[in-house]
Amino acid sequence: MGKIISGITSLLLLGGIGIALWYFLGKPENLSEAKDGLGDAYNKTKDQIDKFDFGDVLEDLSDLDWGQFFNDDPFAGNTTVTLWDEQYIERDSGGLQLTLVNSLSADWQEEFEVAVADWSESDALTLDVVVEPVDDAWDNEKKCKRQDDVMVVCNGNFGDTGWVGINENEVRGGRIISSVAKM
C-alpha cells in the first residue's frame, strides 16, 4: 500500500512540475515552440542578471565591527585573542621575535617555506627558523612536543579529529609561552 501511495505522489509531483514548466514556457503546442520558449526564458534571465550591478556588493563593509564579527558564530570556537609573553616582544625593534621549530616531514616543507615567507613580510614579526630533523617513525607526541619559548610546527596522522590543522597554545598569566601548530 505504501508503494502505491508513493508512486501516486511521485506522479502527481511530476505532473505538477510538467504543468508549471509548460505554463512557464508559454504553453507550447509542439517541441519547436518549447525550445523557443526555453530560449526566451534564458535570454530574459540573462538580461536581468546583466542589469544587476555587482560593483557595490562589498560597499559599506568599513562600518562593520570586525572585532565582534564572530562572537555569535556557534562554530567559531574560542576566538579570544591572547598575546605572546612580553619577553618575546621588542617594541622598538620589530615587534614579536618568534622562533619556529620546523618539525615537519619532507612533504610539508614547501608549504612551511611559503608560510614563513608570507609571515616575514610583516614588520611586526621577526622569525628565526630552527630545523629539527624528523624521523618519520617518531610518534606524534615526539614530533609535536611542546617547547617553552618557541612555536613548534609539526605534522602527523592525528586520526579522525574533525580538523585539518590546529594550533595549541600554552598560556600562563594571560600570555602565550609556547605554541604547537599541528598539520
Side-chain angles (χ1 to χ4, degrees):
M1 184 68 173
K3 288 184 179 182
I4 294 173
I5 293 174
S6 177
I8 291 171
T9 304
S10 295
L11 286 174
L12 288 173
L13 184 63
L14 287 173
I17 290 172
I19 291 171
L21 186 60
W22 172 76
Y23 185 79
F24 177 73
L25 295 177
K27 302 178 187 175
E29 294 183 12
N30 56 45
L31 187 58
S32 178
E33 287 180 9
K35 285 181 184 178
D36 290 343
L38 194 57
D40 290 343
Y42 171 80
N43 289 332
K44 286 178 185 177
T45 303
K46 185 177 178 311
D47 289 344
Q48 289 298 319
I49 290 172
D50 289 343
K51 289 178 186 176
F52 187 77
D53 179 16
F54 290 96
D56 64 348
V57 171
L58 298 179
E59 190 177 290
D60 298 330
L61 288 181
S62 58
D63 295 337
L64 284 177
D65 181 4
W66 292 102
Q68 302 298 317
F69 193 70
F70 296 103
N71 282 355
D72 296 329
D73 185 350
F75 302 105
N78 183 355
T79 59
T80 304
V81 175
T82 308
L83 302 175
W84 277 88
D85 195 341
E86 287 291 326
Q87 69 178 331
Y88 310 115
I89 300 174
E90 297 184 18
R91 301 204 182 279
D92 296 331
S93 60
L96 178 63
Q97 311 288 316
L98 183 60
T99 300
L100 296 175
V101 176
N102 179 348
S103 187
L104 294 163
S105 60
D107 55 334
W108 276 90
Q109 294 303 317
E110 186 176 338
E111 289 84 353
F112 178 77
E113 290 168 8
V114 168
V116 169
D118 286 347
W119 291 348
S120 295
E121 293 291 321
S122 172
D123 294 333
L125 182 60
T126 302
L127 299 174
D128 295 314
V129 177
V130 175
V131 177
E132 188 170 284
V134 175
D135 184 338
D136 287 333
W138 290 354
D139 64 4
N140 293 334
E141 287 297 316
K142 187 168 184 176
K143 286 190 285 190
C144 300
K145 184 171 173 48
R146 186 194 69 73
Q147 300 175 34
D148 281 347
D149 307 332
V150 300
M151 179 178 188
V152 175
V153 183
C154 62
N155 68 291
N157 182 353
F158 299 96
D160 188 13
T161 60
W163 49 262
V164 292
I166 194 166
N167 188 271
E168 298 172 347
N169 296 318
E170 182 172 352
V171 178
R172 196 174 297 148
R175 299 293 184 170
I176 299 171
I177 61 164
S178 71
S179 180
V180 178
K182 296 179 178 180
M183 309 298 139

